[in-house]
């Protein structure tokens, strides 16, 4: 019976380690997600990372954008239609399903 207990404990430890690795991988993927969704109605896509910069266009809430780079609390994004510009980071939430 002693050998079975060792196998059971070893299996449980291996399963726990695998679950931890999978969880950390998912968290890392989420934290470095390139795709976000616009959360603000009529969010301005700006020409520069500044609230006073000219607005290139407005985006509706739920617009998908891909983050190309960031500067302070601004994101330089591209839309699925190919428009590029800056949005405040708090106007675009990370999404899991991209």
């Amino acid at each position: 019976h002693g050998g079975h207990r060792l196998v059971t404990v070893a299996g449980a430890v291996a399963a726990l380690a695998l679950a931890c690795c999978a969880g950390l991988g998912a968290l890392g993927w989420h934290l470095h997600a390139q795709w976000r969704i616009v959360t603000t109605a009529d969010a301005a896509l700006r020409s520069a990372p500044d609230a006073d910069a000219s607005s290139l266009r407005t985006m509706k809430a739920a617009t998908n954008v891909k983050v190309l780079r960031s500067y302070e609390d601004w994101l330089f994004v591209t839309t699925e239609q190919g428009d590029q510009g800056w949005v405040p980071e708090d106007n675009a939430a990370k999404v899991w399903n991209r």
Side-chain angles (χ1 to χ4, degrees), residues 7-8 13 18 26-28 33 39 41 43 55 58 62 66 69-70 76 85 88 93:
V7 170
T8 301
V13 169
L18 184 61
L27 179 63
T39 56
S55 175
T58 57
K66 183 177 184 181
R69 65 180 178 271
S70 63
F76 185 73

Side-chain angles (χ1 to χ4, degrees), residues 41-92:
D42 298 322
L45 189 65
R46 300 206 176 269
S47 60
D50 187 322
D52 294 327
S54 62
S55 175
L56 304 172
R57 65 171 281 222
T58 57
M59 297 177 292
K60 296 186 184 298
T63 299
N64 290 311
V65 293
K66 183 177 184 181
V67 177
L68 302 177
R69 65 180 178 271
S70 63
Y71 174 75
E72 294 179 358
D73 57 349
W74 288 83
L75 302 172
F76 185 73
V77 300
T78 185
T79 65
E80 291 180 313
Q81 294 75 28
D83 298 319
Q84 294 184 344
W86 294 91
V87 294
E89 187 172 14
D90 60 355
N91 286 358

